[in-house]
């Protein structure tokens, strides 16, 4: 037997805490702001004393069998619904520390069916970390213009339409209608769009793929993806499955970023994909990756996956960035964009699971999942209760603005030119009023984006109680200016 305990600690206390544990031959796993620590029975009295002497407060404590600690990564509460009697030692929503025999773990993993994963609990490593908002390094000058193009109304209309289908089960007639509608939305933005058939079990479904060519001489490719299908596990394939959060929110997010990007030029190609068959086992993304030729695969610079971006499950609101080691540069740039354009806490995990970033990672392609923080607390997904009233539109827009700031960097957003009203366009004769109006619109969008970044900084200061009365007045003025610019841009 071993002794275990949990300790809640902030970033500043973690290094000293880890040193105390390891000096006394214990080991640890970090899950956000909690450390889960273990030590042999005979080492427990000395370790407990040292931790208390250092001022650390022990949380839950107990005994556990050797070799019985497992990490569970789940969608919603899938594992706990399937195995209500399993002993959970630490519950962090998406991530659980559970006591299981090896035979139990292997049997449960085999029955997970894509809804949860069971793996050995990492030793002396982080499962995920949480960072408070921090000041970002300088964003590309054009980034605020793309961020400003992320419009509430576009997202709201898209998610409302997607939830109007009775189900978006991958092999249903409703899914086919939703896919055709999404293709038409991409085409209305001026993007080349098509549906590509896929197989799902014994049936057929489709991926919806839209492209925007880049202008760079050696253009790579950046993918923005999400899954279009929904599911109702308790009710079966014919039951209502509105799937508002999982994953109308991510699908609407892909359409919203496509709308924001359509008015801009990028160095690299953009590909927007809505996958089918995700809920039955990542069929759409797996078949897409399998169909990539060597050169096409090598051109992919990054994949951004959005799956469940609409529900606030804990305070303060957070976004989880999940990938593998090769995703770290993408995660770092997303965290910087979160600092520049949102007031969200950022959670980071290199324990990827259960969504359409996985086939890309398995193929060695950098990919990252952006998903609502503490998503395991969302018990409505995969049921008839995943309805629109659970969506926080403002929260989803924050995640999308982070993603837009990242996209501006990753895809090489071009700086908009601002010609004089009477200046001719090079080689094209007089640009005329229409060209000038378009340039003014781009400038207004860019300025509105800068204001949004400032307002995000004000929100963080306000949350921490650091705003003076004069600051509140200045923030109100910025809101008014930003609203005025948005109305002009509309």
């Amino acid at each position: 037997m071993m002794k275990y305990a949990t300790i809640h600690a902030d970033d500043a206390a973690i290094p000293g805490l880890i040193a105390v544990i390891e000096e006394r031959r214990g080991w640890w796993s970090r899950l956000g702001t909690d450390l889960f620590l273990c030590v042999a029975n005979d080492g427990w009295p000395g370790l407990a004393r040292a931790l208390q002497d250092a001022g650390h407060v022990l949380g839950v404590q107990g005994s556990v069998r050797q070799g019985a600690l497992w990490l569970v990564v789940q969608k919603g509460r899938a594992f706990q619904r399937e195995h209500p009697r399993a002993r959970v030692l630490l519950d962090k929503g998406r991530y659980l520390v559970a006591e299981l025999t090896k035979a139990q773990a292997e049997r449960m993993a085999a029955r997970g069916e894509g809804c949860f994963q069971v793996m050995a609990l990492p030793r002396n490593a982080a499962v995920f970390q949480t960072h408070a908002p921090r000041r970002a390094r300088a964003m590309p000058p054009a980034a605020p213009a793309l961020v400003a193009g992320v419009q509430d109304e576009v997202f709201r209309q898209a998610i409302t339409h997607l939830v109007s289908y009775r189900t978006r089960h991958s092999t249903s007639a409703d899914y086919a209608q939703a896919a055709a509608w999404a293709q038409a939305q991409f085409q209305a933005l001026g993007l080349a769009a098509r549906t590509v058939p896929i197989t799902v079990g014994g049936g057929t479904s489709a991926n919806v793929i839209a492209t925007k060519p880049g202008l760079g001489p050696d253009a790579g490719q950046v993918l923005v993806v999400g899954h279009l299908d929904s599911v109702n596990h308790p009710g079966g394939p014919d039951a209502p499955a509105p799937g508002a959060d999982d994953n109308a929110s991510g699908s609407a997010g892909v359409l919203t970023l496509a709308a924001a990007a359509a008015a801009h030029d990028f160095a690299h190609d953009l590909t927007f994909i809505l996958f089918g068959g995700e809920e039955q086992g990542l069929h759409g993304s797996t078949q897409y990756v399998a169909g990539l030729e060597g050169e096409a695969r090598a051109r992919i610079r990054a994949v951004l996956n959005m799956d469940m971006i609409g529900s606030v499950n804990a305070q303060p609101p957070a976004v989880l960035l999940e990938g593998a080691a090769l995703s770290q540069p993408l995660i770092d740039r997303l965290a910087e964009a979160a600092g520049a354009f949102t007031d969200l806490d950022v959670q980071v995990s290199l324990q990827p699971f259960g969504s359409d970033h996985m086939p890309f990672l398995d193929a060695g392609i950098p990919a990252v999942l952006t998903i609502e923080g503490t998503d395991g607390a969302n018990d409505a997904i995969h049921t008839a209760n995943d309805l629109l009233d659970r969506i926080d539109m403002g929260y989803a827009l924050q995640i999308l603005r982070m993603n837009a700031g990242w996209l501006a960097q990753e895809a090489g957003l071009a700086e908009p030119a601002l010609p004089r009203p009477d200046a001719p366009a090079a080689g094209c004769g007089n640009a005329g009023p229409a060209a000038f109006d378009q340039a003014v619109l781009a400038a207004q969008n860019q300025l509105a984006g800068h204001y949004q970044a400032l307002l995000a900084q004000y929100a963080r200061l306000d949350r921490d109680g650091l705003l003076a009365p004069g600051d509140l007045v200045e923030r109100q003025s910025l809101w008014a200016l930003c609203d005025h610019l948005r109305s002009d841009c509309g």
Side-chain angles (χ1 to χ4, degrees):
M1 297 291 287
M2 301 182 297
K3 295 292 186 182
Y4 74 88
T6 61
I7 297 180
H8 186 81
D10 58 26
D11 284 348
I14 291 289
L17 181 54
I18 288 173
V20 172
I21 296 169
E22 293 183 352
E23 283 171 5
R24 284 155 182 81
R25 295 178 296 175
W27 60 272
W28 54 271
S29 291
R30 183 175 181 181
L31 294 91
T33 53
D34 287 305
L35 274 190
F36 185 92
L37 64 95
C38 280
V39 69
N41 279 349
D42 59 1
W44 174 247
L47 176 56
R49 246 188 336 267
L51 290 170
Q52 291 166 351
D53 291 346
H56 299 296
V57 178
L58 297 175
V60 177
Q61 305 172 45
S63 298
V64 63
R65 298 185 303 275
Q66 291 277 357
L69 289 173
W70 298 84
L71 174 67
V72 176
V73 189
Q74 63 178 344
K75 288 185 177 181
R77 291 291 174 180
F79 176 83
Q80 287 152 299
R81 282 192 177 129
E82 180 77 16
H83 303 287
R85 298 180 66 181
R87 185 184 179 203
V88 175
L89 307 182
L90 179 60
D91 184 344
K92 299 297 287 187
R94 182 175 177 83
Y95 306 97
L96 309 173
V97 177
E99 181 183 11
L100 306 168
T101 67
K102 184 178 181 182
Q104 285 175 321
E106 291 174 349
R107 184 169 63 251
M108 292 174 178
R111 293 188 57 191
E113 298 178 347
C115 293
F116 60 82
Q117 185 176 26
V118 182
M119 64 192 81
L121 182 66
R123 291 193 175 206
N124 297 340
V127 174
F128 77 96
Q129 299 183 58
T130 300
H131 306 290
R134 54 194 177 193
R135 183 178 295 276
R137 296 182 304 191
M139 291 285 106
L146 186 61
V147 173
V150 173
Q151 298 294 318
D152 174 89
E153 191 60 25
V154 175
F155 178 79
R156 190 180 298 271
Q157 289 182 2
I159 193 172
T160 301
H161 180 87
L162 290 171
V163 173
S164 70
Y165 296 99
R166 184 173 182 273
T167 180
R168 296 189 310 282
H169 188 279
S170 297
T171 58
S172 67
D174 287 291
Y175 178 89
Q177 293 175 18
W181 174 83
Q183 180 183 356
Q185 299 307 299
F186 285 128
Q187 290 171 334
L189 295 171
L191 305 180
R194 67 193 191 279
T195 56
V196 178
I198 62 169
T199 58
V200 178
T204 60
S205 188
N207 294 335
V208 184
I209 304 174
T211 56
K212 178 180 175 63
L215 303 180
D218 300 308
Q221 188 180 29
V222 176
L223 276 59
V224 178
V225 309
H227 72 89
L228 184 60
D229 58 317
S230 64
V231 72
N232 182 334
H233 282 321
D238 297 325
D245 195 26
D246 189 14
N247 185 40
S249 65
S251 296
V254 173
L255 290 165
T256 302
L257 287 185
H264 296 275
D265 291 325
F266 297 82
H268 300 289
D269 296 353
L270 295 182
T271 300
F272 301 94
I273 308 177
L274 297 175
F275 290 119
E278 191 269 356
E279 297 290 8
Q280 289 76 35
L282 312 182
H283 291 284
S285 52
T286 298
Q287 291 171 43
Y288 179 85
V289 172
L292 291 172
E293 300 294 338
E295 183 179 350
R297 182 175 299 194
R299 287 186 62 240
I300 299 177
R301 295 168 51 86
V303 180
L304 176 74
N305 179 27
M306 288 182 281
D307 192 348
M308 297 172 57
I309 62 168
S311 180
V312 178
N313 305 305
Q315 294 295 334
V319 59
L320 171 63
L321 311 178
E322 181 186 279
L326 77 166
S327 313
Q328 193 64 60
L330 281 61
I331 290 172
D332 291 343
R333 287 190 283 273
L334 278 161
E336 291 171 5
F341 300 112
T342 82
D343 60 358
L344 298 174
D345 279 4
V346 174
Q347 299 173 349
V348 174
S349 174
L350 299 183
Q351 303 286 337
F353 164 72
S355 190
D356 287 313
H357 56 314
M358 293 297 296
F360 294 97
L361 291 173
D362 291 342
I365 299 170
V368 63
L369 168 68
T370 59
I371 186 170
E372 61 203 36
T374 322
D375 68 293
N378 186 341
D379 60 2
I381 66 168
H382 300 166
T383 75
N385 297 322
D386 189 4
L387 298 166
L388 202 59
D389 61 4
R390 292 178 175 266
I391 301 299
D392 186 316
M393 299 291 178
Y395 169 73
L397 264 289
Q398 287 212 70
I399 293 179
L400 288 172
R401 287 172 184 142
M402 172 193 71
N403 289 346
W406 172 88
L407 188 62
Q409 300 178 75
E410 202 66 50
L413 177 63
E415 182 75 28
L418 296 177
R420 297 190 310 274
D422 57 347
C428 300
N430 197 311
F436 180 70
D437 288 346
Q438 188 174 11
V440 170
L441 180 60
Q444 287 176 323
N445 272 333
Q446 184 171 359
L447 187 56
H450 284 300
Y451 283 154
Q452 286 173 348
L454 283 173
L455 287 169
Q457 298 286 354
Y458 272 114
R460 288 192 284 274
L461 292 170
D462 190 18
R463 188 186 66 186
D464 296 337
L466 299 176
L467 286 186
D471 297 324
L472 295 172
V473 173
E474 185 174 342
R475 182 172 67 167
Q476 192 69 36
S477 299
L478 278 173
W479 266 327
L481 284 169
C482 194
D483 289 343
H484 176 69
L485 283 169
R486 279 190 174 279
S487 65
D488 286 349
C489 292

